[in-house]
Amino acid sequence: MVNGSSIFREDMTIEEISEVANGYIESKWRSIYESMHEQLTAAFAEIEDAAYGLYLDQLMPFIFEQLEDSGFSTMEKLNENDFVIGKCLVFRNSLEKWGTEDNRSRIFWNVIYDKQGCSVGTILTEIPHSHLKFDIPSAPVIYSLRESVKEEVLQGIWRIKESG
């Protein structure tokens, strides 16, 4: 928080939200990674990919809390067997289809709603990670889509990954 206010404003577009979220991630991801690296390397030996959830539990909640403080809603109704990390990243709303074993890419999506319950779009959270050891080879990235219907969001993810 800056001077007791949120990093987001209730009138922001989805593109502005993603830009501010990326600024936050860029400023924090490496220091959190380095401070947790030894602990998460040990955790990876036991729980493998779930170690990345422990990392995201430290990095991502601030973004979602700040969005909520600004009047946005970021979480859908959960199913009984949903697995959630980082406060609002739901595994059933993610894809992991890209990269090599040492630099995989999982993308989570969250539809963002304003105070009136209208969709402003979707943020995509891309998490680069290794399946061979605990390693995050580059900063997580937030993308924005104007779409909010699942099929259109999936098409948007494929567009981003094929163009990038």
Side-chain angles (χ1 to χ4, degrees), residues 63-113:
I63 292 171
F64 293 116
E65 289 162 3
Q66 291 286 293
L67 282 166
E68 290 164 8
D69 287 350
S70 298
F72 292 101
S73 168
T74 61
M75 192 66 170
E76 65 182 78
K77 188 173 183 325
L78 294 176
N79 295 331
E80 187 178 325
N81 60 349
D82 273 333
F83 187 67
V84 180
I85 60 173
K87 184 170 172 74
C88 291
L89 301 174
V90 181
F91 260 84
R92 74 178 148 87
N93 289 348
S94 74
L95 289 175
E96 183 179 305
K97 304 273 187 199
W98 307 276
T100 58
E101 285 303 293
D102 65 337
N103 191 357
R104 293 292 285 172
S105 177
R106 177 174 293 278
I107 297 181
F108 292 88
W109 65 88
N110 293 83
V111 178
I112 308 296
Y113 298 92

mmCIF file of all heavy atoms in Angstrom, residues 63-113:
data_model
loop_
_atom_site.group_PDB
_atom_site.id
_atom_site.type_symbol
_atom_site.label_atom_id
_atom_site.label_comp_id
_atom_site.label_asym_id
_atom_site.label_seq_id
_atom_site.Cartn_x
_atom_site.Cartn_y
_atom_site.Cartn_z
ATOM 1 N N ILE A 63 -1.307 -8.818 -4.734
ATOM 2 C CA ILE A 63 -1.993 -8.323 -5.936
ATOM 3 C C ILE A 63 -3.498 -8.513 -5.799
ATOM 4 O O ILE A 63 -4.279 -7.587 -6.025
ATOM 5 C CB ILE A 63 -1.456 -9.024 -7.198
ATOM 6 C CG1 ILE A 63 -0.008 -8.576 -7.445
ATOM 7 C CG2 ILE A 63 -2.346 -8.738 -8.415
ATOM 8 C CD1 ILE A 63 0.707 -9.355 -8.526
ATOM 9 N N PHE A 64 -3.919 -9.716 -5.417
ATOM 10 C CA PHE A 64 -5.353 -9.998 -5.310
ATOM 11 C C PHE A 64 -6.002 -9.196 -4.182
ATOM 12 O O PHE A 64 -7.127 -8.726 -4.318
ATOM 13 C CB PHE A 64 -5.592 -11.498 -5.154
ATOM 14 C CG PHE A 64 -5.222 -12.277 -6.385
ATOM 15 C CD1 PHE A 64 -4.198 -13.208 -6.365
ATOM 16 C CD2 PHE A 64 -5.890 -12.067 -7.584
ATOM 17 C CE1 PHE A 64 -3.856 -13.926 -7.510
ATOM 18 C CE2 PHE A 64 -5.558 -12.769 -8.730
ATOM 19 C CZ PHE A 64 -4.532 -13.695 -8.688
ATOM 20 N N GLU A 65 -5.290 -9.042 -3.066
ATOM 21 C CA GLU A 65 -5.830 -8.244 -1.954
ATOM 22 C C GLU A 65 -5.989 -6.785 -2.362
ATOM 23 O O GLU A 65 -6.988 -6.142 -2.027
ATOM 24 C CB GLU A 65 -4.915 -8.366 -0.730
ATOM 25 C CG GLU A 65 -4.984 -9.739 -0.087
ATOM 26 C CD GLU A 65 -3.811 -10.050 0.827
ATOM 27 O OE1 GLU A 65 -2.931 -9.173 1.027
ATOM 28 O OE2 GLU A 65 -3.764 -11.192 1.329
ATOM 29 N N GLN A 66 -5.008 -6.259 -3.098
ATOM 30 C CA GLN A 66 -5.077 -4.874 -3.557
ATOM 31 C C GLN A 66 -6.229 -4.684 -4.551
ATOM 32 O O GLN A 66 -6.914 -3.657 -4.517
ATOM 33 C CB GLN A 66 -3.749 -4.474 -4.203
ATOM 34 C CG GLN A 66 -2.606 -4.358 -3.205
ATOM 35 C CD GLN A 66 -2.727 -3.111 -2.363
ATOM 36 O OE1 GLN A 66 -2.601 -2.002 -2.865
ATOM 37 N NE2 GLN A 66 -2.991 -3.274 -1.083
ATOM 38 N N LEU A 67 -6.441 -5.655 -5.431
ATOM 39 C CA LEU A 67 -7.582 -5.578 -6.354
ATOM 40 C C LEU A 67 -8.891 -5.547 -5.573
ATOM 41 O O LEU A 67 -9.774 -4.735 -5.859
ATOM 42 C CB LEU A 67 -7.560 -6.754 -7.340
ATOM 43 C CG LEU A 67 -6.569 -6.626 -8.486
ATOM 44 C CD1 LEU A 67 -6.378 -7.968 -9.187
ATOM 45 C CD2 LEU A 67 -7.024 -5.562 -9.484
ATOM 46 N N GLU A 68 -9.015 -6.430 -4.581
ATOM 47 C CA GLU A 68 -10.236 -6.471 -3.772
ATOM 48 C C GLU A 68 -10.422 -5.158 -3.002
ATOM 49 O O GLU A 68 -11.541 -4.650 -2.911
ATOM 50 C CB GLU A 68 -10.187 -7.670 -2.822
ATOM 51 C CG GLU A 68 -10.325 -8.989 -3.564
ATOM 52 C CD GLU A 68 -9.910 -10.201 -2.744
ATOM 53 O OE1 GLU A 68 -9.647 -10.069 -1.529
ATOM 54 O OE2 GLU A 68 -9.837 -11.288 -3.347
ATOM 55 N N ASP A 69 -9.324 -4.598 -2.479
ATOM 56 C CA ASP A 69 -9.404 -3.319 -1.749
ATOM 57 C C ASP A 69 -9.890 -2.196 -2.664
ATOM 58 O O ASP A 69 -10.430 -1.201 -2.183
ATOM 59 C CB ASP A 69 -8.035 -2.929 -1.170
ATOM 60 C CG ASP A 69 -7.647 -3.784 0.029
ATOM 61 O OD1 ASP A 69 -8.497 -4.553 0.531
ATOM 62 O OD2 ASP A 69 -6.475 -3.686 0.451
ATOM 63 N N SER A 70 -9.683 -2.332 -3.960
ATOM 64 C CA SER A 70 -10.097 -1.310 -4.935
ATOM 65 C C SER A 70 -11.487 -1.577 -5.494
ATOM 66 O O SER A 70 -11.922 -0.889 -6.411
ATOM 67 C CB SER A 70 -9.089 -1.261 -6.079
ATOM 68 O OG SER A 70 -7.836 -0.895 -5.587
ATOM 69 N N GLY A 71 -12.157 -2.605 -4.980
ATOM 70 C CA GLY A 71 -13.528 -2.878 -5.396
ATOM 71 C C GLY A 71 -13.682 -3.941 -6.458
ATOM 72 O O GLY A 71 -14.798 -4.212 -6.919
ATOM 73 N N PHE A 72 -12.583 -4.573 -6.858
ATOM 74 C CA PHE A 72 -12.672 -5.633 -7.859
ATOM 75 C C PHE A 72 -12.905 -6.972 -7.177
ATOM 76 O O PHE A 72 -12.510 -7.182 -6.039
ATOM 77 C CB PHE A 72 -11.382 -5.717 -8.690
ATOM 78 C CG PHE A 72 -11.153 -4.532 -9.573
ATOM 79 C CD1 PHE A 72 -10.261 -3.540 -9.208
ATOM 80 C CD2 PHE A 72 -11.834 -4.403 -10.775
ATOM 81 C CE1 PHE A 72 -10.047 -2.430 -10.010
ATOM 82 C CE2 PHE A 72 -11.635 -3.300 -11.593
ATOM 83 C CZ PHE A 72 -10.737 -2.315 -11.210
ATOM 84 N N SER A 73 -13.523 -7.871 -7.903
ATOM 85 C CA SER A 73 -13.697 -9.245 -7.453
ATOM 86 C C SER A 73 -12.846 -10.115 -8.363
ATOM 87 O O SER A 73 -12.877 -9.965 -9.584
ATOM 88 C CB SER A 73 -15.172 -9.622 -7.548
ATOM 89 O OG SER A 73 -15.336 -11.000 -7.396
ATOM 90 N N THR A 74 -12.064 -11.034 -7.765
ATOM 91 C CA THR A 74 -11.102 -11.821 -8.535
ATOM 92 C C THR A 74 -11.304 -13.324 -8.411
ATOM 93 O O THR A 74 -10.605 -14.086 -9.052
ATOM 94 C CB THR A 74 -9.668 -11.513 -8.062
ATOM 95 O OG1 THR A 74 -9.555 -11.868 -6.677
ATOM 96 C CG2 THR A 74 -9.338 -10.047 -8.225
ATOM 97 N N MET A 75 -12.233 -13.735 -7.576
ATOM 98 C CA MET A 75 -12.353 -15.156 -7.269
ATOM 99 C C MET A 75 -13.729 -15.659 -7.649
ATOM 100 O O MET A 75 -14.732 -15.041 -7.325
ATOM 101 C CB MET A 75 -12.117 -15.352 -5.770
ATOM 102 C CG MET A 75 -11.924 -16.770 -5.372
ATOM 103 S SD MET A 75 -10.383 -17.396 -6.088
ATOM 104 C CE MET A 75 -10.278 -18.937 -5.218
ATOM 105 N N GLU A 76 -13.737 -16.780 -8.336
ATOM 106 C CA GLU A 76 -15.021 -17.393 -8.665
ATOM 107 C C GLU A 76 -15.433 -18.358 -7.555
ATOM 108 O O GLU A 76 -14.637 -18.651 -6.664
ATOM 109 C CB GLU A 76 -14.913 -18.126 -9.997
ATOM 110 C CG GLU A 76 -13.951 -19.299 -9.963
ATOM 111 C CD GLU A 76 -13.839 -19.959 -11.309
ATOM 112 O OE1 GLU A 76 -13.150 -19.416 -12.171
ATOM 113 O OE2 GLU A 76 -14.457 -21.027 -11.479
ATOM 114 N N LYS A 77 -16.639 -18.837 -7.637
ATOM 115 C CA LYS A 77 -17.125 -19.814 -6.657
ATOM 116 C C LYS A 77 -16.295 -21.086 -6.804
ATOM 117 O O LYS A 77 -16.098 -21.589 -7.907
ATOM 118 C CB LYS A 77 -18.603 -20.098 -6.936
ATOM 119 C CG LYS A 77 -19.255 -20.953 -5.878
ATOM 120 C CD LYS A 77 -20.750 -21.050 -6.144
ATOM 121 C CE LYS A 77 -21.520 -21.822 -5.129
ATOM 122 N NZ LYS A 77 -20.929 -22.954 -4.510
ATOM 123 N N LEU A 78 -15.792 -21.566 -5.690
ATOM 124 C CA LEU A 78 -14.939 -22.753 -5.721
ATOM 125 C C LEU A 78 -15.759 -24.031 -5.652
ATOM 126 O O LEU A 78 -16.806 -24.071 -5.007
ATOM 127 C CB LEU A 78 -13.949 -22.723 -4.555
ATOM 128 C CG LEU A 78 -12.904 -21.621 -4.597
ATOM 129 C CD1 LEU A 78 -12.050 -21.654 -3.337
ATOM 130 C CD2 LEU A 78 -12.039 -21.744 -5.841
ATOM 131 N N ASN A 79 -15.239 -25.058 -6.300
ATOM 132 C CA ASN A 79 -15.785 -26.404 -6.177
ATOM 133 C C ASN A 79 -15.124 -27.069 -4.973
ATOM 134 O O ASN A 79 -14.051 -26.652 -4.529
ATOM 135 C CB ASN A 79 -15.509 -27.219 -7.445
ATOM 136 C CG ASN A 79 -16.223 -26.654 -8.657
ATOM 137 O OD1 ASN A 79 -17.281 -26.044 -8.539
ATOM 138 N ND2 ASN A 79 -15.639 -26.840 -9.823
ATOM 139 N N GLU A 80 -15.752 -28.116 -4.486
ATOM 140 C CA GLU A 80 -15.263 -28.788 -3.287
ATOM 141 C C GLU A 80 -13.816 -29.253 -3.431
ATOM 142 O O GLU A 80 -13.033 -29.185 -2.494
ATOM 143 C CB GLU A 80 -16.170 -29.987 -2.985
ATOM 144 C CG GLU A 80 -15.875 -30.656 -1.675
ATOM 145 C CD GLU A 80 -16.826 -31.802 -1.379
ATOM 146 O OE1 GLU A 80 -18.014 -31.708 -1.745
ATOM 147 O OE2 GLU A 80 -16.373 -32.788 -0.788
ATOM 148 N N ASN A 81 -13.428 -29.730 -4.608
ATOM 149 C CA ASN A 81 -12.091 -30.292 -4.795
ATOM 150 C C ASN A 81 -11.105 -29.337 -5.470
ATOM 151 O O ASN A 81 -10.060 -29.756 -5.948
ATOM 152 C CB ASN A 81 -12.172 -31.604 -5.572
ATOM 153 C CG ASN A 81 -12.794 -31.414 -6.943
ATOM 154 O OD1 ASN A 81 -13.349 -30.358 -7.239
ATOM 155 N ND2 ASN A 81 -12.717 -32.438 -7.783
ATOM 156 N N ASP A 82 -11.418 -28.046 -5.508
ATOM 157 C CA ASP A 82 -10.504 -27.079 -6.111
ATOM 158 C C ASP A 82 -9.230 -26.949 -5.286
ATOM 159 O O ASP A 82 -9.261 -26.999 -4.054
ATOM 160 C CB ASP A 82 -11.162 -25.699 -6.233
ATOM 161 C CG ASP A 82 -11.957 -25.558 -7.517
ATOM 162 O OD1 ASP A 82 -11.627 -26.228 -8.513
ATOM 163 O OD2 ASP A 82 -12.917 -24.775 -7.522
ATOM 164 N N PHE A 83 -8.133 -26.751 -5.996
ATOM 165 C CA PHE A 83 -6.838 -26.505 -5.372
ATOM 166 C C PHE A 83 -6.438 -25.082 -5.716
ATOM 167 O O PHE A 83 -6.362 -24.723 -6.888
ATOM 168 C CB PHE A 83 -5.807 -27.521 -5.888
ATOM 169 C CG PHE A 83 -4.492 -27.436 -5.184
ATOM 170 C CD1 PHE A 83 -4.370 -27.779 -3.848
ATOM 171 C CD2 PHE A 83 -3.364 -27.010 -5.870
ATOM 172 C CE1 PHE A 83 -3.147 -27.694 -3.199
ATOM 173 C CE2 PHE A 83 -2.136 -26.914 -5.226
ATOM 174 C CZ PHE A 83 -2.033 -27.261 -3.889
ATOM 175 N N VAL A 84 -6.214 -24.256 -4.679
ATOM 176 C CA VAL A 84 -5.935 -22.827 -4.862
ATOM 177 C C VAL A 84 -4.573 -22.501 -4.273
ATOM 178 O O VAL A 84 -4.267 -22.918 -3.155
ATOM 179 C CB VAL A 84 -7.018 -21.963 -4.165
ATOM 180 C CG1 VAL A 84 -6.731 -20.478 -4.359
ATOM 181 C CG2 VAL A 84 -8.405 -22.311 -4.670
ATOM 182 N N ILE A 85 -3.774 -21.743 -5.027
ATOM 183 C CA ILE A 85 -2.506 -21.233 -4.514
ATOM 184 C C ILE A 85 -2.482 -19.726 -4.719
ATOM 185 O O ILE A 85 -3.270 -19.179 -5.498
ATOM 186 C CB ILE A 85 -1.286 -21.908 -5.190
ATOM 187 C CG1 ILE A 85 -1.297 -21.658 -6.694
ATOM 188 C CG2 ILE A 85 -1.232 -23.395 -4.862
ATOM 189 C CD1 ILE A 85 -0.055 -22.136 -7.425
ATOM 190 N N GLY A 86 -1.573 -19.066 -4.030
ATOM 191 C CA GLY A 86 -1.397 -17.632 -4.225
ATOM 192 C C GLY A 86 -2.649 -16.813 -3.969
ATOM 193 O O GLY A 86 -2.839 -15.769 -4.560
ATOM 194 N N LYS A 87 -3.521 -17.307 -3.127
ATOM 195 C CA LYS A 87 -4.800 -16.690 -2.728
ATOM 196 C C LYS A 87 -5.916 -16.901 -3.737
ATOM 197 O O LYS A 87 -7.028 -17.198 -3.359
ATOM 198 C CB LYS A 87 -4.644 -15.204 -2.410
ATOM 199 C CG LYS A 87 -5.928 -14.558 -1.904
ATOM 200 C CD LYS A 87 -5.702 -13.169 -1.372
ATOM 201 C CE LYS A 87 -6.976 -12.453 -1.056
ATOM 202 N NZ LYS A 87 -7.678 -12.889 0.132
ATOM 203 N N CYS A 88 -5.655 -16.731 -5.048
ATOM 204 C CA CYS A 88 -6.744 -16.788 -6.034
ATOM 205 C C CYS A 88 -6.408 -17.572 -7.303
ATOM 206 O O CYS A 88 -7.171 -17.504 -8.265
ATOM 207 C CB CYS A 88 -7.161 -15.367 -6.435
ATOM 208 S SG CYS A 88 -7.990 -14.466 -5.112
ATOM 209 N N LEU A 89 -5.294 -18.282 -7.342
ATOM 210 C CA LEU A 89 -4.948 -19.048 -8.540
ATOM 211 C C LEU A 89 -5.518 -20.458 -8.402
ATOM 212 O O LEU A 89 -5.067 -21.242 -7.569
ATOM 213 C CB LEU A 89 -3.427 -19.090 -8.735
ATOM 214 C CG LEU A 89 -2.749 -17.726 -8.876
ATOM 215 C CD1 LEU A 89 -1.231 -17.887 -8.907
ATOM 216 C CD2 LEU A 89 -3.254 -16.988 -10.102
ATOM 217 N N VAL A 90 -6.523 -20.769 -9.215
ATOM 218 C CA VAL A 90 -7.252 -22.038 -9.136
ATOM 219 C C VAL A 90 -6.706 -22.969 -10.223
ATOM 220 O O VAL A 90 -6.695 -22.611 -11.399
ATOM 221 C CB VAL A 90 -8.770 -21.819 -9.340
ATOM 222 C CG1 VAL A 90 -9.531 -23.125 -9.232
ATOM 223 C CG2 VAL A 90 -9.294 -20.785 -8.349
ATOM 224 N N PHE A 91 -6.255 -24.164 -9.813
ATOM 225 C CA PHE A 91 -5.607 -25.061 -10.770
ATOM 226 C C PHE A 91 -6.484 -25.453 -11.955
ATOM 227 O O PHE A 91 -5.987 -25.600 -13.055
ATOM 228 C CB PHE A 91 -5.058 -26.310 -10.070
ATOM 229 C CG PHE A 91 -3.592 -26.175 -9.833
ATOM 230 C CD1 PHE A 91 -3.130 -25.502 -8.712
ATOM 231 C CD2 PHE A 91 -2.665 -26.659 -10.733
ATOM 232 C CE1 PHE A 91 -1.783 -25.329 -8.490
ATOM 233 C CE2 PHE A 91 -1.312 -26.500 -10.526
ATOM 234 C CZ PHE A 91 -0.870 -25.838 -9.400
ATOM 235 N N ARG A 92 -7.786 -25.578 -11.739
ATOM 236 C CA ARG A 92 -8.618 -25.960 -12.887
ATOM 237 C C ARG A 92 -8.705 -24.825 -13.913
ATOM 238 O O ARG A 92 -9.112 -25.046 -15.043
ATOM 239 C CB ARG A 92 -9.998 -26.447 -12.451
ATOM 240 C CG ARG A 92 -10.940 -25.387 -11.998
ATOM 241 C CD ARG A 92 -12.304 -25.989 -11.644
ATOM 242 N NE ARG A 92 -12.909 -25.233 -10.579
ATOM 243 C CZ ARG A 92 -13.652 -24.155 -10.779
ATOM 244 N NH1 ARG A 92 -13.903 -23.722 -11.985
ATOM 245 N NH2 ARG A 92 -14.166 -23.513 -9.743
ATOM 246 N N ASN A 93 -8.315 -23.621 -13.507
ATOM 247 C CA ASN A 93 -8.253 -22.487 -14.429
ATOM 248 C C ASN A 93 -6.804 -22.229 -14.819
ATOM 249 O O ASN A 93 -6.277 -21.129 -14.686
ATOM 250 C CB ASN A 93 -8.843 -21.231 -13.795
ATOM 251 C CG ASN A 93 -10.341 -21.319 -13.639
ATOM 252 O OD1 ASN A 93 -10.977 -22.217 -14.193
ATOM 253 N ND2 ASN A 93 -10.909 -20.407 -12.891
ATOM 254 N N SER A 94 -6.135 -23.288 -15.273
ATOM 255 C CA SER A 94 -4.749 -23.135 -15.702
ATOM 256 C C SER A 94 -4.418 -24.152 -16.786
ATOM 257 O O SER A 94 -5.093 -25.167 -16.924
ATOM 258 C CB SER A 94 -3.784 -23.297 -14.520
ATOM 259 O OG SER A 94 -3.656 -24.648 -14.118
ATOM 260 N N LEU A 95 -3.385 -23.817 -17.539
ATOM 261 C CA LEU A 95 -2.855 -24.697 -18.578
ATOM 262 C C LEU A 95 -1.346 -24.756 -18.433
ATOM 263 O O LEU A 95 -0.709 -23.743 -18.128
ATOM 264 C CB LEU A 95 -3.147 -24.143 -19.977
ATOM 265 C CG LEU A 95 -4.565 -24.165 -20.503
ATOM 266 C CD1 LEU A 95 -4.609 -23.440 -21.857
ATOM 267 C CD2 LEU A 95 -5.054 -25.589 -20.653
ATOM 268 N N GLU A 96 -0.785 -25.926 -18.683
ATOM 269 C CA GLU A 96 0.671 -26.072 -18.733
ATOM 270 C C GLU A 96 0.988 -26.877 -19.986
ATOM 271 O O GLU A 96 0.937 -28.104 -19.973
ATOM 272 C CB GLU A 96 1.212 -26.771 -17.490
ATOM 273 C CG GLU A 96 2.729 -26.863 -17.505
ATOM 274 C CD GLU A 96 3.303 -27.526 -16.278
ATOM 275 O OE1 GLU A 96 3.009 -27.077 -15.160
ATOM 276 O OE2 GLU A 96 4.048 -28.499 -16.446
ATOM 277 N N LYS A 97 1.260 -26.198 -21.073
ATOM 278 C CA LYS A 97 1.429 -26.856 -22.368
ATOM 279 C C LYS A 97 2.726 -26.468 -23.065
ATOM 280 O O LYS A 97 2.987 -26.933 -24.159
ATOM 281 C CB LYS A 97 0.282 -26.463 -23.316
ATOM 282 C CG LYS A 97 -1.100 -26.742 -22.787
ATOM 283 C CD LYS A 97 -1.527 -28.128 -23.096
ATOM 284 C CE LYS A 97 -2.970 -28.340 -22.707
ATOM 285 N NZ LYS A 97 -3.309 -29.732 -22.583
ATOM 286 N N TRP A 98 3.514 -25.581 -22.473
ATOM 287 C CA TRP A 98 4.621 -24.982 -23.215
ATOM 288 C C TRP A 98 5.938 -25.149 -22.498
ATOM 289 O O TRP A 98 6.000 -25.154 -21.283
ATOM 290 C CB TRP A 98 4.357 -23.486 -23.416
ATOM 291 C CG TRP A 98 3.030 -23.242 -24.025
ATOM 292 C CD1 TRP A 98 2.722 -23.276 -25.358
ATOM 293 C CD2 TRP A 98 1.794 -22.989 -23.350
ATOM 294 N NE1 TRP A 98 1.384 -23.034 -25.535
ATOM 295 C CE2 TRP A 98 0.788 -22.849 -24.323
ATOM 296 C CE3 TRP A 98 1.445 -22.847 -22.012
ATOM 297 C CZ2 TRP A 98 -0.531 -22.591 -24.007
ATOM 298 C CZ3 TRP A 98 0.142 -22.591 -21.692
ATOM 299 C CH2 TRP A 98 -0.846 -22.464 -22.676
ATOM 300 N N GLY A 99 7.006 -25.232 -23.289
ATOM 301 C CA GLY A 99 8.359 -25.208 -22.762
ATOM 302 C C GLY A 99 8.978 -26.573 -22.600
ATOM 303 O O GLY A 99 8.377 -27.603 -22.872
ATOM 304 N N THR A 100 10.229 -26.536 -22.142
ATOM 305 C CA THR A 100 11.015 -27.745 -21.897
ATOM 306 C C THR A 100 10.878 -28.118 -20.420
ATOM 307 O O THR A 100 10.347 -27.341 -19.630
ATOM 308 C CB THR A 100 12.492 -27.467 -22.237
ATOM 309 O OG1 THR A 100 12.928 -26.367 -21.423
ATOM 310 C CG2 THR A 100 12.666 -27.116 -23.716
ATOM 311 N N GLU A 101 11.392 -29.269 -20.042
ATOM 312 C CA GLU A 101 11.279 -29.714 -18.644
ATOM 313 C C GLU A 101 11.976 -28.758 -17.679
ATOM 314 O O GLU A 101 11.584 -28.639 -16.537
ATOM 315 C CB GLU A 101 11.828 -31.136 -18.470
ATOM 316 C CG GLU A 101 10.890 -32.196 -19.013
ATOM 317 C CD GLU A 101 9.501 -32.127 -18.385
ATOM 318 O OE1 GLU A 101 9.363 -32.398 -17.190
ATOM 319 O OE2 GLU A 101 8.537 -31.789 -19.097
ATOM 320 N N ASP A 102 12.995 -28.042 -18.146
ATOM 321 C CA ASP A 102 13.690 -27.123 -17.242
ATOM 322 C C ASP A 102 13.167 -25.686 -17.348
ATOM 323 O O ASP A 102 13.627 -24.803 -16.632
ATOM 324 C CB ASP A 102 15.205 -27.165 -17.458
ATOM 325 C CG ASP A 102 15.621 -26.661 -18.825
ATOM 326 O OD1 ASP A 102 14.789 -26.686 -19.755
ATOM 327 O OD2 ASP A 102 16.781 -26.233 -18.966
ATOM 328 N N ASN A 103 12.194 -25.463 -18.244
ATOM 329 C CA ASN A 103 11.593 -24.127 -18.353
ATOM 330 C C ASN A 103 10.166 -24.271 -18.885
ATOM 331 O O ASN A 103 9.873 -23.903 -20.015
ATOM 332 C CB ASN A 103 12.429 -23.219 -19.249
ATOM 333 C CG ASN A 103 11.991 -21.763 -19.164
ATOM 334 O OD1 ASN A 103 11.038 -21.420 -18.481
ATOM 335 N ND2 ASN A 103 12.693 -20.909 -19.876
ATOM 336 N N ARG A 104 9.302 -24.821 -18.025
ATOM 337 C CA ARG A 104 7.892 -25.005 -18.361
ATOM 338 C C ARG A 104 7.141 -23.718 -18.092
ATOM 339 O O ARG A 104 7.595 -22.851 -17.359
ATOM 340 C CB ARG A 104 7.259 -26.120 -17.509
ATOM 341 C CG ARG A 104 7.779 -27.500 -17.783
ATOM 342 C CD ARG A 104 7.386 -28.015 -19.133
ATOM 343 N NE ARG A 104 5.985 -28.420 -19.159
ATOM 344 C CZ ARG A 104 5.344 -28.775 -20.255
ATOM 345 N NH1 ARG A 104 5.941 -28.759 -21.414
ATOM 346 N NH2 ARG A 104 4.088 -29.128 -20.196
ATOM 347 N N SER A 105 5.946 -23.630 -18.666
ATOM 348 C CA SER A 105 5.121 -22.447 -18.463
ATOM 349 C C SER A 105 3.703 -22.881 -18.111
ATOM 350 O O SER A 105 3.065 -23.579 -18.875
ATOM 351 C CB SER A 105 5.112 -21.624 -19.757
ATOM 352 O OG SER A 105 4.265 -20.530 -19.607
ATOM 353 N N ARG A 106 3.262 -22.482 -16.917
ATOM 354 C CA ARG A 106 1.861 -22.692 -16.531
ATOM 355 C C ARG A 106 1.203 -21.331 -16.512
ATOM 356 O O ARG A 106 1.755 -20.378 -15.986
ATOM 357 C CB ARG A 106 1.732 -23.357 -15.161
ATOM 358 C CG ARG A 106 0.256 -23.503 -14.737
ATOM 359 C CD ARG A 106 0.073 -24.294 -13.455
ATOM 360 N NE ARG A 106 0.435 -25.688 -13.595
ATOM 361 C CZ ARG A 106 -0.369 -26.646 -14.105
ATOM 362 N NH1 ARG A 106 -1.585 -26.331 -14.530
ATOM 363 N NH2 ARG A 106 0.049 -27.873 -14.179
ATOM 364 N N ILE A 107 0.007 -21.255 -17.087
ATOM 365 C CA ILE A 107 -0.747 -20.008 -17.106
ATOM 366 C C ILE A 107 -2.075 -20.212 -16.387
ATOM 367 O O ILE A 107 -2.852 -21.098 -16.741
ATOM 368 C CB ILE A 107 -0.996 -19.523 -18.551
ATOM 369 C CG1 ILE A 107 0.335 -19.206 -19.237
ATOM 370 C CG2 ILE A 107 -1.910 -18.298 -18.553
ATOM 371 C CD1 ILE A 107 0.205 -18.705 -20.655
ATOM 372 N N PHE A 108 -2.292 -19.385 -15.365
ATOM 373 C CA PHE A 108 -3.564 -19.342 -14.637
ATOM 374 C C PHE A 108 -4.373 -18.175 -15.173
ATOM 375 O O PHE A 108 -3.801 -17.169 -15.592
ATOM 376 C CB PHE A 108 -3.327 -19.090 -13.140
ATOM 377 C CG PHE A 108 -2.664 -20.207 -12.420
ATOM 378 C CD1 PHE A 108 -1.281 -20.287 -12.363
ATOM 379 C CD2 PHE A 108 -3.420 -21.179 -11.773
ATOM 380 C CE1 PHE A 108 -0.655 -21.322 -11.681
ATOM 381 C CE2 PHE A 108 -2.799 -22.218 -11.086
ATOM 382 C CZ PHE A 108 -1.415 -22.289 -11.046
ATOM 383 N N TRP A 109 -5.706 -18.296 -15.132
ATOM 384 C CA TRP A 109 -6.523 -17.143 -15.500
ATOM 385 C C TRP A 109 -7.519 -16.811 -14.408
ATOM 386 O O TRP A 109 -8.019 -17.685 -13.709
ATOM 387 C CB TRP A 109 -7.220 -17.314 -16.850
ATOM 388 C CG TRP A 109 -8.249 -18.404 -16.940
ATOM 389 C CD1 TRP A 109 -9.580 -18.314 -16.649
ATOM 390 C CD2 TRP A 109 -8.040 -19.754 -17.369
ATOM 391 N NE1 TRP A 109 -10.201 -19.517 -16.875
ATOM 392 C CE2 TRP A 109 -9.284 -20.416 -17.324
ATOM 393 C CE3 TRP A 109 -6.916 -20.467 -17.792
ATOM 394 C CZ2 TRP A 109 -9.437 -21.758 -17.682
ATOM 395 C CZ3 TRP A 109 -7.066 -21.793 -18.146
ATOM 396 C CH2 TRP A 109 -8.326 -22.411 -18.083
ATOM 397 N N ASN A 110 -7.744 -15.489 -14.247
ATOM 398 C CA ASN A 110 -8.724 -14.958 -13.294
ATOM 399 C C ASN A 110 -9.535 -13.889 -14.000
ATOM 400 O O ASN A 110 -8.969 -12.887 -14.456
ATOM 401 C CB ASN A 110 -8.033 -14.306 -12.087
ATOM 402 C CG ASN A 110 -7.291 -15.287 -11.226
ATOM 403 O OD1 ASN A 110 -6.156 -15.635 -11.516
ATOM 404 N ND2 ASN A 110 -7.927 -15.731 -10.158
ATOM 405 N N VAL A 111 -10.847 -14.104 -14.075
ATOM 406 C CA VAL A 111 -11.740 -13.072 -14.600
ATOM 407 C C VAL A 111 -11.883 -12.030 -13.498
ATOM 408 O O VAL A 111 -12.077 -12.365 -12.327
ATOM 409 C CB VAL A 111 -13.107 -13.662 -15.002
ATOM 410 C CG1 VAL A 111 -14.049 -12.567 -15.491
ATOM 411 C CG2 VAL A 111 -12.925 -14.744 -16.076
ATOM 412 N N ILE A 112 -11.766 -10.759 -13.882
ATOM 413 C CA ILE A 112 -11.838 -9.653 -12.931
ATOM 414 C C ILE A 112 -13.177 -8.939 -13.130
ATOM 415 O O ILE A 112 -13.542 -8.599 -14.255
ATOM 416 C CB ILE A 112 -10.677 -8.650 -13.156
ATOM 417 C CG1 ILE A 112 -9.321 -9.373 -13.173
ATOM 418 C CG2 ILE A 112 -10.721 -7.532 -12.121
ATOM 419 C CD1 ILE A 112 -8.940 -10.039 -11.874
ATOM 420 N N TYR A 113 -13.887 -8.729 -12.023
ATOM 421 C CA TYR A 113 -15.197 -8.064 -12.052
ATOM 422 C C TYR A 113 -15.124 -6.750 -11.284
ATOM 423 O O TYR A 113 -14.431 -6.654 -10.270
ATOM 424 C CB TYR A 113 -16.267 -8.962 -11.409
ATOM 425 C CG TYR A 113 -16.455 -10.264 -12.137
ATOM 426 C CD1 TYR A 113 -15.736 -11.391 -11.759
ATOM 427 C CD2 TYR A 113 -17.340 -10.365 -13.205
ATOM 428 C CE1 TYR A 113 -15.893 -12.599 -12.438
ATOM 429 C CE2 TYR A 113 -17.500 -11.564 -13.886
ATOM 430 C CZ TYR A 113 -16.774 -12.671 -13.502
ATOM 431 O OH TYR A 113 -16.923 -13.863 -14.175
#
